[in-house]
Amino acid sequence: LPHCHPMVLHEAKVHEKAEMVMTSQREINTKSVEEPLPADYFTKLNDAEKAEKAKQARELASASMPKGVAYFTAKAEEDKARKRAEFEQGHGNNMSVATSYFNKLALKKEEGSLSAPEEKMPVAIQKFSKENFEKREKQKAEIQAMKESKPEMSKGQAYFTNQWRDQKEAQKAENEAMKENPPASSVANAYFAKKESQRKLEIEKIKNQPAPPASVATQYFNKMAADEKRRVEEAAKSRGGSKCVATQHFDKQREEEQRKKKEQLEELKNNPPSMPPGVAHFTSKRQG
């Protein structure tokens, strides 16, 4: 309408807008309005799913459980239920009025006979939660379908997969054959194994042999020391255990020498002597 009057153009736009509004209202009226779901609807669905998985796990465990373990497990559950019933029956008369009232109220809530007004889920939360739940259920169904019927591999993937499996089986068979019939060792390995066994035998032989005899001079001085020790012991016994003046003198002299040596060692530890310049240079260089 390029050459129409402005009023005619305005009326046409108003009419077109009214048509659009009426069309939108008809579409809204034709759509079915979803009823609001309870606020804990999806929570209960997840709890039911977890309970089903736990039940399957218990059934699987019960199938592989020994008879004795299964018997005592069932017996423990029965005893627990029986003790709870006995406790409730035995303490019913001794409870106060308030305790009995709140106990009955808790039991009714557990049984579901007493329920508070159900809280409804907001529309926006319900919309997006439902879409997310349906998307997750669809993914679970697709994964389960893939588990039950695996998709066919492409030609290249199947080729390399089969090649890898063949290599793995061949390597496994080769390892088993080597375990049953180990290959003969090489000449070098056999030579060094023989040398090692001979060395071990020689070490054992030396261990079992008696100590070599001492030289004549060693035997002479050992005999002199033993005789001197024996004479000193006999002299001490003859005097009733008291040492002579000479023995006491030499014992004192020996103790004095040992004390002086000990003091010299302590002094060297506390004040070590200075090293020559060359030794100090190479020592510091090695430490650095």
Side-chain angles (χ1 to χ4, degrees):
L1 303 173
H3 302 290
C4 292
H5 194 271
M7 290 296 295
V8 176
L9 290 174
H10 178 69
E11 290 178 359
K13 288 181 180 179
V14 170
H15 181 71
E16 184 180 356
K17 188 173 182 180
E19 287 289 338
M20 291 174 63
V21 170
M22 292 177 65
T23 305
S24 301
Q25 288 180 352
R26 282 196 298 269
E27 290 178 356
I28 292 171
N29 293 330
T30 53
K31 286 185 178 179
S32 59
V33 180
E34 294 183 359
E35 294 183 1
L37 297 173
D40 58 348
Y41 175 76
F42 295 105
T43 304
K44 288 181 178 179
L45 284 179
N46 291 330
D47 292 342
E49 185 178 355
K50 290 180 181 178
E52 183 64 25
K53 289 182 179 179
K55 182 181 177 182
Q56 292 176 1
R58 285 196 301 270
E59 291 176 353
L60 183 62
S62 301
S64 59
M65 191 183 296
K67 293 182 179 179
V69 178
Y71 169 75
F72 286 108
T73 303
K75 189 173 183 300
E77 292 178 357
E78 292 175 0
D79 292 343
K80 185 178 179 182
R82 178 176 53 78
K83 287 179 181 179
R84 182 177 179 182
E86 290 176 357
F87 176 80
E88 291 175 356
Q89 291 176 2
H91 290 73
N93 300 326
N94 300 327
M95 289 182 186
S96 62
V97 178
T99 306
S100 177
Y101 170 75
F102 286 111
N103 190 24
K104 289 179 181 178
L105 193 65
L107 291 174
K108 286 181 180 179
K109 284 184 178 179
E110 289 180 1
E111 294 171 358
S113 59
L114 183 64
S115 59
E118 195 173 38
E119 185 181 356
K120 298 298 182 180
M121 189 182 300
V123 179
I125 296 176
Q126 176 177 336
K127 178 181 182 300
F128 292 110
S129 299
K130 191 173 182 181
E131 289 178 358
N132 187 28
F133 183 78
E134 290 174 354
K135 183 180 179 181
R136 192 177 63 178
E137 290 296 321
K138 184 180 179 182
Q139 290 176 351
K140 286 183 181 178
E142 290 175 356
I143 292 171
Q144 188 64 28
M146 290 178 67
K147 286 182 180 179
E148 293 175 355
S149 58
K150 295 181 181 179
E152 295 183 0
M153 292 185 291
S154 62
K155 292 183 179 180
Q157 187 179 3
Y159 171 76
F160 288 108
T161 302
N162 294 331
Q163 188 178 10
W164 173 76
R165 287 176 180 171
D166 294 340
Q167 290 177 357
K168 191 175 179 181
E169 291 295 329
Q171 185 66 33
K172 186 178 179 180
E174 186 178 350
N175 293 338
E176 292 294 332
M178 289 180 68
K179 286 180 182 179
E180 295 175 357
N181 299 315
S185 59
S186 62
V187 178
N189 290 340
Y191 171 76
F192 287 111
K194 185 178 179 181
K195 284 291 183 183
E196 182 66 18
S197 62
Q198 289 177 356
R199 188 179 69 85
K200 289 181 180 179
L201 290 174
E202 289 176 358
I203 291 171
E204 291 295 330
K205 187 177 179 182
I206 292 171
K207 285 182 180 179
N208 297 328
Q209 284 180 355
S215 63
V216 178
T218 304
Q219 292 178 6
Y220 172 76
F221 288 110
N222 287 340
K223 186 178 180 182
M224 282 184 64
D227 294 341
E228 181 67 22
K229 185 179 180 182
R230 181 170 47 78
R231 281 197 302 269
V232 171
E233 289 176 355
E234 289 176 356
K237 286 180 182 178
S238 64
R239 288 191 301 271
S242 61
K243 295 181 180 180
C244 64
V245 179
T247 305
Q248 293 178 3
H249 170 71
F250 287 114
D251 287 345
K252 188 176 180 181
Q253 189 177 6
R254 191 183 306 110
E255 290 176 359
E256 187 69 21
E257 290 177 356
Q258 290 179 357
R259 185 181 62 78
K260 287 181 180 179
K261 287 181 180 179
K262 190 174 181 181
E263 290 177 355
Q264 290 176 359
L265 290 174
E266 290 293 334
E267 187 177 358
L268 287 172
K269 285 182 181 178
N270 296 329
N271 300 314
S274 59
M275 292 183 291
V279 177
H281 170 71
F282 287 108
T283 303
S284 61
K285 187 176 181 181
R286 184 178 58 184
Q287 289 178 353

